Amino acid sequence: MDLDAFFAENPMGGDGRQAAEGFRSGFITLVGRPNAGKSTLLNAIMGKKIAITSDTAQTTRHRFRAVLTRDRFQLIIVDTPGIHKPHDVLGEELNTSALKALSDVDVVAMLIDASKPVGRGDEWVASQLARTRAKKVLVLSKADLVDDEQLAAQRAAAWELADWDGCAALSAKEGAGVEEFVEAVVSLLPEGPAWFPPDMDTDQPLEVIVAEFVREKILRSFHDEVPHAIGVAVDAFSYDKKRDLHRIEAVIYVERDSQKGIIIGKGGASIKRIGTEARLDLEQLLGTRVFLELKVKVRKNWRRDASQIRRFGYGEGA
């Protein structure tokens, strides 16, 4: 994959690399099917882990904003749940959240996995872009997994899905094409003031980020239906300045007793591993030592209960 050649053949906002004159600021929404690489791209743009990632569908359950501020611009990135055919109230809430994120933004970037054929799901997501007046950018993600011929074929197929204002190819995992994508998006933003403080990375409450980091470890450790039945809530969060220690208590909710047993594991081995992996990430995030206590509780059929879904902070009504 030759990204330099790709940008030369598929210019976006000029050559996609030119700095805009004056300070620019605006909002970009990342949309696409589940596992298109939205959260991985967000983390690559920010240069740090803000959104969790996994191969499990519905990994992203929150719609939140990350803020990238530099001397010339402020880019507010709205990450969204993957748009999919819902099977329960949770899925309906996540779809509603993702689609509402198309409103009042300057740019919508639709991610399509370059390594998988364009399908009906991609067509449906692209059809939803008609509801926005924002600039529309096609992003071929995971470009490191294909050769030049495959990338060109994928671009040709995806280009037919909507009236695009630009096209980019990148590998968020490898970092290839990410900076060019940022510069190209900035060229589409209006001139204006910064909307957020320059030291702000995200509008997510810290407790929500902590809960998501815990859920990520579960998503990566288990398969089948267990990850979808998981909800995590932080019950207590405090900082001991004298010891430079954060104390966190979080509850992992499941829908059945059998799932509780799986999460805990034989002799508590599984939940201990989850806690250890999450603690290491949290210590890097918070810059202190972390004492993390995890509990597991059963809340039957919570994914069918809109009030419970919103208690976890998932969906549009949260």
Side-chain angles (χ1 to χ4, degrees):
M1 175 194 60
D2 186 346
L3 284 179
D4 286 330
F6 185 92
F7 276 105
E9 295 174 3
N10 303 285
M12 173 182 163
D15 65 357
R17 301 168 189 259
Q18 299 299 317
E21 293 187 11
F23 193 85
R24 293 179 180 249
S25 63
F27 293 76
I28 175 175
T29 291
L30 306 180
V31 299
R33 297 177 64 191
N35 294 327
K38 299 180 296 297
S39 296
T40 302
L41 175 57
L42 184 148
N43 290 337
I45 292 172
M46 296 302 297
K48 64 175 65 176
K49 183 175 180 177
I50 293 178
I52 66 171
T53 62
S54 82
D55 292 331
T56 303
Q58 294 186 16
T59 294
T60 300
R61 289 177 174 173
H62 295 270
R63 175 161 62 90
F64 70 95
R65 292 172 290 196
V67 183
L68 179 67
T69 305
R70 294 182 181 168
D71 291 340
R72 299 178 293 105
F73 66 84
Q74 183 175 86
L75 179 64
I76 302 100
I77 310 156
V78 184
D79 191 22
T80 64
I83 302 174
H84 62 290
K85 183 178 180 179
H87 299 289
D88 50 34
V89 177
L90 174 60
E92 293 171 358
E93 288 281 346
L94 297 182
N95 264 9
T96 298
S97 178
L99 292 174
K100 282 194 174 183
L102 298 177
S103 303
D104 300 323
V105 296
D106 302 287
V107 179
V108 174
M110 179 178 169
L111 275 69
I112 293 180
D113 186 338
S115 67
K116 297 180 180 179
V118 173
R120 294 178 63 182
D122 296 305
E123 293 173 0
W124 187 83
V125 175
S127 71
Q128 303 305 303
L129 301 186
R131 65 175 65 195
T132 179
R133 296 181 180 180
K135 299 290 186 180
K136 301 173 184 65
V137 177
L138 169 64
V139 179
L140 302 178
S141 62
K142 307 182 184 182
D144 57 301
L145 302 180
V146 299
D147 57 27
D148 294 344
E149 183 177 352
Q150 291 172 302
L151 186 63
Q154 188 74 333
R155 179 192 181 277
W159 192 258
E160 300 299 319
L161 296 180
D163 185 13
W164 305 106
D165 295 288
C167 180
L170 53 81
S171 168
K173 183 179 179 180
E174 302 292 335
V178 174
E179 190 63 27
E180 290 86 349
F181 171 69
V182 169
E183 290 291 341
V185 170
V186 169
S187 73
L188 298 176
L189 299 180
E191 292 191 7
W195 297 100
F196 296 95
D199 59 347
M200 179 176 176
D201 291 327
T202 177
D203 66 350
Q204 283 281 70
L206 196 54
E207 289 83 357
V208 170
I209 296 178
V210 169
E212 287 294 271
F213 276 25
V214 172
R215 190 168 67 89
E216 178 189 58
K217 305 312 174 187
I218 300 170
L219 294 178
R220 293 184 174 186
S221 297
F222 302 97
H223 303 284
D224 301 323
E225 66 173 312
V226 174
H228 297 293
I230 296 297
V232 181
V234 172
D235 275 3
F237 188 99
S238 62
Y239 175 59
D240 186 334
K241 186 175 181 180
K242 184 176 181 180
R243 297 185 178 183
D244 194 26
L245 174 73
H246 278 90
R247 295 182 179 274
I248 303 171
E249 297 177 15
V251 179
I252 301 168
Y253 289 93
V254 295
E255 293 186 315
R256 296 199 298 270
D257 289 328
S258 60
Q259 295 166 344
K260 179 178 179 179
I262 293 172
I263 297 299
I264 293 175
K266 186 176 181 179
S270 295
I271 196 168
K272 182 179 180 180
R273 183 182 70 252
I274 292 167
T276 298
E277 293 175 355
R279 179 176 55 80
L280 294 175
D281 268 3
L282 293 173
E283 287 181 339
Q284 185 174 4
L285 172 72
L286 299 171
T288 70
R289 293 182 300 128
V290 171
F291 174 79
L292 176 63
E293 181 180 357
L294 297 178
K295 298 178 181 179
V296 185
K297 295 182 179 180
V298 177
R299 184 148 292 170
K300 296 184 182 298
N301 298 319
W302 70 262
R303 284 179 292 172
R304 301 182 184 278
D305 183 347
S307 62
Q308 184 59 51
I309 290 168
R310 291 164 186 172
R311 179 180 179 273
F312 288 133
Y314 307 147
E316 184 59 26

